[in-house]
Amino acid sequence: MKPFTFDQIPVMMNKIHDKLEHLEKLITRISATGEDKDELLNIEEASKLLNLSVPTIYSKVSRKEIPVNKQGKRLYFYRHELMKWIKSGRVKTHLEIRNDIEKRSRI
C-alpha cells in the first residue's frame, strides 16, 4: 500500500468506514445462520420440513431411522441434524462411482 497524503485522509476514512460496514453485515449474516443450527423443531415442523406425514415420522423414530430428541412424551428435532440425515441418503451418480473406482485403482 502506498503512503497517502494528509489531504487524502477523509477519502481513506470513508473507504475504511465502508469496508467496516461491509464486514459488520457479513458477520451479522454469518451469526444469523449459526443460530439456525440449533433451531429446534416439533414433530409438525419436522413433518413440513421433510415433506413426510406425522405418522411416517413416528414410524421412523420408532425404528431409529431418524435423529430425534425426546423430552417426556414430546419429540424434538434439530433442523441441522435433519438436513444432515437427508444428505446422508444421497445416491452417487454413475460418473461419481466411476471416478471413485479410478481413484482407488491408482492407489
Side-chain angles (χ1 to χ4, degrees), residues 6-34:
F6 182 78
D7 294 335
Q8 293 173 317
I9 290 177
V11 173
M12 296 302 288
M13 291 300 291
N14 279 334
K15 286 183 180 181
I16 291 170
H17 181 265
D18 291 343
K19 287 184 179 190
L20 281 174
E21 278 186 338
H22 179 70
L23 287 172
E24 276 183 326
K25 288 177 185 175
L26 286 175
I27 290 169
T28 303
R29 193 176 321 144
I30 290 169
S31 297
T33 57

Side-chain angles (χ1 to χ4, degrees), residues 2 10 14 25 35 40-41 43-45 49 52 71 79-80 84 92-93 98 107:
K2 297 187 320 186
N14 279 334
K25 288 177 185 175
E35 290 171 8
L40 203 56
L41 306 174
I43 195 158
E44 288 82 14
E45 293 166 331
L49 175 69
L52 296 172
Q71 186 65 35
R79 177 182 293 276
H80 75 278
K84 185 176 175 182
K92 290 185 176 184
T93 65
R98 195 173 312 130
I107 297 176

Side-chain angles (χ1 to χ4, degrees), residues 65-81:
E65 294 177 1
I66 191 168
V68 65
N69 297 281
K70 188 172 180 183
Q71 186 65 35
K73 293 183 179 184
R74 301 220 181 237
L75 300 177
Y76 298 99
F77 305 84
Y78 282 107
R79 177 182 293 276
H80 75 278
E81 288 180 348

Side-chain angles (χ1 to χ4, degrees), residues 43 53-66:
I43 195 158
S53 68
V54 171
T56 300
I57 292 181
Y58 277 120
S59 175
K60 289 186 177 298
V61 166
S62 70
R63 291 190 310 253
K64 298 184 185 338
E65 294 177 1
I66 191 168

